[in-house]
Amino acid sequence: MTQKLYYIDSHLFTFTATVLRCEQNRDRWEIVLDETAFFPEGGGQPADRGTLGGVRVLDAHERGSEVVHCCDGPLEAGCSVEGRVDRELRLCRMQNHSGEHILSGTAHRFYGCENVGFHMGEREMTIDFDRELDEKELREIETAANEAVRSNLPVRITYPSAEELAVLEYRSKKELQGDVRIVEIPGVDRCACCAPHVDSTGEIGVIKILNSERHRGGVRLSVACGMWALEDYRRKQQSATEISALLSAKRDEVAPAVQRLLRERDALKEKNAALSMEMIQFKASIQPETDGNICLFENIPDEIAVRELVNLLMEKSGGLAAVFFPAPETGYRYIIGSRRIDLRKAARDINAGIGGRGGGKPEMIQGSAAASEEEIRRFILGFSA
Ligand SMILES: [Zn+2]
């Protein structure tokens, strides 16, 4: 049996223990100590990481009454080792896990929400509730949760007797056998949970809902607490600062500045489309009529405009009306139209002649061409169906 120091003191990060066993399992060593401050995964909280003597603890899990540390090297049974839990990681996880209890307890009290999913990630966590919550409700819950932080309430751990449990109101009242560990934040939440928590709610710092989305008839929240919330704030401030410098707008006025930019962009797009249409009509107008083929190379990036040009050129050509325009990697893209030639049938020969790929309808095909401008021009102008 392993003495679980993390239940005696959730803020114990260094300890000395005796190695009871060390067994190799593939490229890992499974080490059991007489006591440990390493929390094995449980209650949605991942296992602690850190070091034991000279080896790294990569994972830890419970097996029966023991905690098994999965390490990257061996330790000798019987020897005494110093354990060091990754303090920063554990503190962040406790800030977030305790914050989750407060949010879930508050959502339950306010709106009868059940927590039906919890995942702790690397810099935020997700919490699923079985009921949809709108923005106003989420704000209420978030504010009340942060009130609970500000009140610096104690986080109490108890192990009630079976009789006491039977009449006790608490969340996660299910599939629990043996001692049930109750984590209580007075007036806010009471929940069965096996993970280590902060000692008092002030330690959490801040509870911030980052995002909410519909999820299986309820809602999935992305949440960051404590240092993770600070990191999130820093990232967002960094990006707001960069955007505000780019737009020459105050940091909290970037949204209207972006809206103005989008309006300007839309107006330019419209103007650009009108100009390219004018240019296309001009190009088509100076093209002499011919019974043969027309082959133009144009630097028009917009395929709709190219198609329009081909449409106009088809009026002037008895054969192919072909427009080639530059494309990254493939050389050229093309659109070819014709009033007389069935292009679906001719596509194979045309593609063979210009190193191309593509197809389409009898009156219009499009694709790419790998041959040089000179080769393409010679082939298209000489083409007859
Ligand atoms: Zn919990």
Side-chain angles (χ1 to χ4, degrees):
M1 168 165 175
T2 312
Q3 165 92 319
K4 291 160 182 168
L5 302 174
Y6 48 86
Y7 280 158
I8 298 167
D9 180 359
S10 64
H11 292 64
L12 179 73
F13 303 110
T14 58
F15 63 101
T16 306
T18 304
V19 178
L20 298 183
R21 282 198 315 282
C22 176
E23 286 156 15
Q24 188 167 4
N25 183 358
R26 289 183 212 162
D27 59 342
R28 297 269 186 275
W29 281 265
E30 297 185 340
I31 294 168
V32 176
L33 308 170
D34 62 340
E35 53 183 19
T36 188
F38 280 89
F39 172 66
E41 62 179 321
Q45 188 167 322
D48 283 332
R49 298 199 287 259
T51 57
L52 274 182
V55 303
R56 284 195 304 149
V57 179
L58 307 167
D59 195 9
H61 52 264
E62 245 179 322
R63 190 185 292 155
S65 61
E66 290 180 334
V67 174
V68 178
H69 307 77
C70 299
C71 301
D72 67 351
L75 291 173
E76 208 173 310
C79 75
S80 172
V81 288
E82 190 190 45
R84 284 180 178 275
V85 173
D86 184 330
R87 179 177 177 277
E88 186 54 39
L89 184 62
R90 162 73 90 72
L91 284 174
C92 283
R93 285 172 175 172
M94 292 201 298
Q95 284 183 309
N96 278 270
H97 195 154
S98 300
E100 180 271 317
H101 278 222
I102 292 176
L103 268 185
S104 297
T106 306
H108 184 74
R109 261 186 309 124
F110 282 17
Y111 297 107
C113 297
E114 294 295 338
N115 176 322
V116 290
F118 171 44
H119 174 75
M120 185 169 284
E122 295 287 320
R123 55 188 199 181
E124 61 184 57
M125 54 184 173
T126 59
I127 306 172
D128 300 341
F129 292 131
D130 62 349
R131 176 193 183 283
E132 279 189 38
L133 292 164
D134 65 27
E135 219 165 293
K136 185 171 155 283
E137 293 167 330
L138 288 172
R139 189 171 275 264
E140 266 173 25
I141 292 167
E142 185 183 75
T143 302
N146 282 283
E147 283 289 352
V149 170
R150 185 161 61 183
S151 301
N152 200 20
L153 305 166
V155 178
R156 293 192 188 124
I157 310 293
T158 55
Y159 295 87
S161 66
E163 298 77 54
E164 287 169 320
L165 274 178
V167 294
L168 197 65
E169 284 273 334
Y170 63 97
R171 295 190 300 111
S172 298
K173 204 167 184 170
K174 59 186 176 198
E175 30 70 27
L176 298 164
Q177 67 273 69
D179 277 354
V180 173
R181 185 171 181 268
I182 297 291
V183 177
E184 180 175 7
I185 298 160
V188 176
D189 186 46
R190 197 188 287 130
C191 183
C193 180
C194 63
H197 281 265
V198 298
D199 289 336
S200 56
T201 58
E203 225 181 292
I204 296 167
V206 66
I207 298 173
K208 187 74 196 85
I209 298 172
L210 306 177
N211 189 42
S212 76
E213 58 194 13
R214 285 187 184 166
H215 182 72
R216 294 185 181 167
V219 68
R220 168 165 286 180
L221 304 183
S222 301
V223 177
C225 302
M227 286 298 183
W228 289 358
L230 177 63
E231 285 303 325
D232 184 74
Y233 195 168
R234 283 179 178 153
R235 284 193 296 273
K236 283 174 179 155
Q237 192 183 19
Q238 172 75 18
S239 106
T241 303
E242 284 172 22
I243 295 168
S244 96
L246 288 169
L247 299 176
S248 305
K250 287 184 184 159
R251 259 207 311 264
D252 48 2
E253 287 171 11
V254 292
V258 170
Q259 278 158 3
R260 197 175 57 238
L261 264 187
L262 290 178
R263 277 197 302 275
E264 283 170 12
R265 185 205 59 180
D266 290 346
L268 280 173
K269 265 188 178 173
E270 229 168 88
K271 211 169 176 179
N272 191 30
L275 279 173
S276 34
M277 207 44 76
E278 234 174 84
M279 179 185 72
I280 281 157
Q281 278 161 355
F282 174 72
K283 279 181 189 296
S285 72
I286 59 170
Q287 192 65 34
E289 285 194 26
T290 169
D291 287 337
N293 304 320
I294 297 174
C295 181
L296 296 184
F297 281 79
E298 296 294 344
N299 200 353
I300 307 171
D302 172 9
E303 271 199 36
I304 296 172
V306 175
R307 187 180 301 272
E308 191 52 37
L309 177 57
V310 171
N311 273 325
L312 294 173
L313 293 175
M314 279 161 70
E315 304 293 332
K316 299 228 163 176
S317 151
L320 301 177
V323 176
F324 290 79
F325 50 105
E329 286 158 33
T330 52
Y332 295 101
R333 302 258 321 145
Y334 69 75
I335 297 179
I336 301 173
S338 180
R339 294 228 170 272
R340 303 229 181 95
I341 301 168
D342 183 340
L343 290 173
R344 192 143 56 180
K345 284 185 187 152
R348 232 175 99 169
D349 291 342
I350 293 173
N351 281 321
I354 61 175
R357 300 161 67 104
K361 296 176 181 160
E363 64 277 14
M364 192 173 278
I365 57 172
Q366 60 179 42
S368 60
S372 71
E373 176 173 344
E374 202 191 323
E375 288 167 328
I376 292 171
R377 208 183 278 283
R378 199 183 316 124
F379 176 82
I380 293 291
L381 293 177
F383 181 83
S384 64

